[in-house]
Amino acid sequence: MEISPSLLNSKIHEFEKNVTLLDKHNIQEIHIDVMDGCFVKDQANGPKLIKDIRPLTNLHFDIHLMINQPELKIQNYLNVGANNISFHIEATNDATFVADQIKSAQIEVGVALSPSTPVHALDSILSYVDRVLVMTANPGRPEGHFYKETINKIAELNSIRKTKDMNFIIQADGKIDDNAAELLSKNGCDNIVVGGFIYSFSDPEVQIEKLKKSILK
Ligand SMILES: O=C(CO)[C@H](O)[C@H](O)COP(=O)(O)O
């Protein structure tokens, strides 16, 4: 299972230092949250900021759009240097259009679902996507917690993937610590987004190693 550190949780003046240390731990990807103040209450990380940090690293950029009506704004994110862009199924009535826009820019496409959204909400889009992002905490709520029930959705997606011979990556995001990482890994999750468990501690490198150990258990 891969770890995608969520750089939103790192202090902006430590960004460069924190990006550099990820290379030492064989991290392949960073996760960048975009918040519009509507789909979630905070605003963060517009296209200009993402474009500005792109030259600082060769890591894969995984962008998570927490924005309403991505069909109206997706063009703004197609030239920022993203390798993957995930949008929320709850935020659009035009999911296949958004997916097609992302794919036509040769960027991988992901679809995200909030903790209260069932997997069957993805029925019409699953065959189009490269990744499914399962929120394990409520989006845009830093005070929230990990919902253990969301593990069932990871297992369900893993089963659908096997039965239907699909290839999408299953990613989990929200309040993941080393215990949650172990559970997720055992239930078919391929990638975890981790913010606070890495960046709220004095030594992010120690935290990354703790996560790695729990994944190997
Ligand atoms: O999607 C997100 C917020 O909605 C983030 O990716 C999330 O903040 C990750 O940080 P943490 O591990 O502290 O929850």
Side-chain angles (χ1 to χ4, degrees):
M1 189 164 75
E2 301 284 332
I3 303 168
S4 292
S6 173
L7 264 272
L8 181 72
N9 292 267
S10 153
K11 306 242 178 322
I12 195 79
H13 64 275
E14 290 178 345
F15 186 88
E16 231 173 318
K17 181 187 90 183
N18 282 333
V19 163
T20 311
L21 71 81
L22 297 179
D23 286 332
K24 282 204 273 171
H25 295 271
N26 202 24
I27 298 289
Q28 309 294 321
E29 170 177 285
I30 57 174
H31 183 84
I32 299 170
D33 288 312
V34 175
M35 304 187 184
D36 67 351
C38 294
F39 185 72
V40 289
K41 67 179 174 358
D42 278 348
Q43 287 183 290
N45 305 335
K48 179 176 183 312
L49 180 105
I50 302 172
K51 221 173 177 172
D52 286 351
I53 61 177
R54 179 67 278 188
L56 299 179
T57 175
N58 290 323
L59 289 171
H60 196 282
F61 270 23
D62 169 37
I63 296 184
H64 176 193
L65 295 179
M66 285 180 270
I67 66 175
N68 268 340
Q69 293 189 286
E71 63 277 13
L72 303 182
K73 301 156 205 159
I74 193 64
Q75 283 300 330
N76 299 340
Y77 296 92
L78 299 180
N79 67 348
V80 297
N83 301 87
N84 177 80
I85 300 180
S86 297
F87 63 94
H88 270 263
I89 195 71
E90 306 86 359
T92 181
N93 290 322
D94 228 345
T96 45
F97 172 78
V98 180
D100 281 345
Q101 295 285 300
I102 298 170
K103 276 186 182 181
S104 65
Q106 276 83 51
I107 297 169
E108 287 176 11
V109 59
V111 66
L113 69 173
S114 294
S116 55
T117 307
V119 167
H120 71 71
L122 304 180
D123 282 355
S124 63
I125 190 81
L126 216 45
S127 58
Y128 286 82
V129 299
D130 300 297
R131 157 180 324 221
V132 178
L133 188 170
V134 176
M135 288 299 302
T136 49
N138 285 314
R141 296 202 179 269
E143 73 286 4
H145 66 92
F146 180 82
Y147 289 99
K148 216 172 169 184
E149 300 76 12
T150 57
I151 298 279
N152 297 335
K153 291 203 274 188
I154 305 276
E156 189 180 344
L157 283 161
N158 194 28
S159 155
I160 293 173
R161 180 167 64 175
K162 280 185 195 148
T163 319
K164 300 200 171 164
D165 203 17
M166 290 173 163
N167 287 316
F168 55 82
I169 289 170
I170 304 173
Q171 180 178 47
D173 176 13
K175 302 296 160 197
I176 296 171
D177 61 11
D178 48 352
N179 293 321
E182 186 181 346
L183 262 178
L184 288 161
S185 148
K186 287 180 176 159
N187 281 278
C189 185
D190 309 297
N191 179 301
I192 49 171
V193 175
V194 186
F197 189 74
I198 297 177
Y199 296 111
S200 300
F201 291 83
S202 55
D203 192 340
E205 296 191 64
V206 169
Q207 297 303 111
I208 291 172
E209 286 312 308
K210 272 191 201 162
L211 284 168
K212 283 191 167 174
K213 267 194 200 137
S214 67
I215 293 167
L216 291 177
K217 268 185 213 167

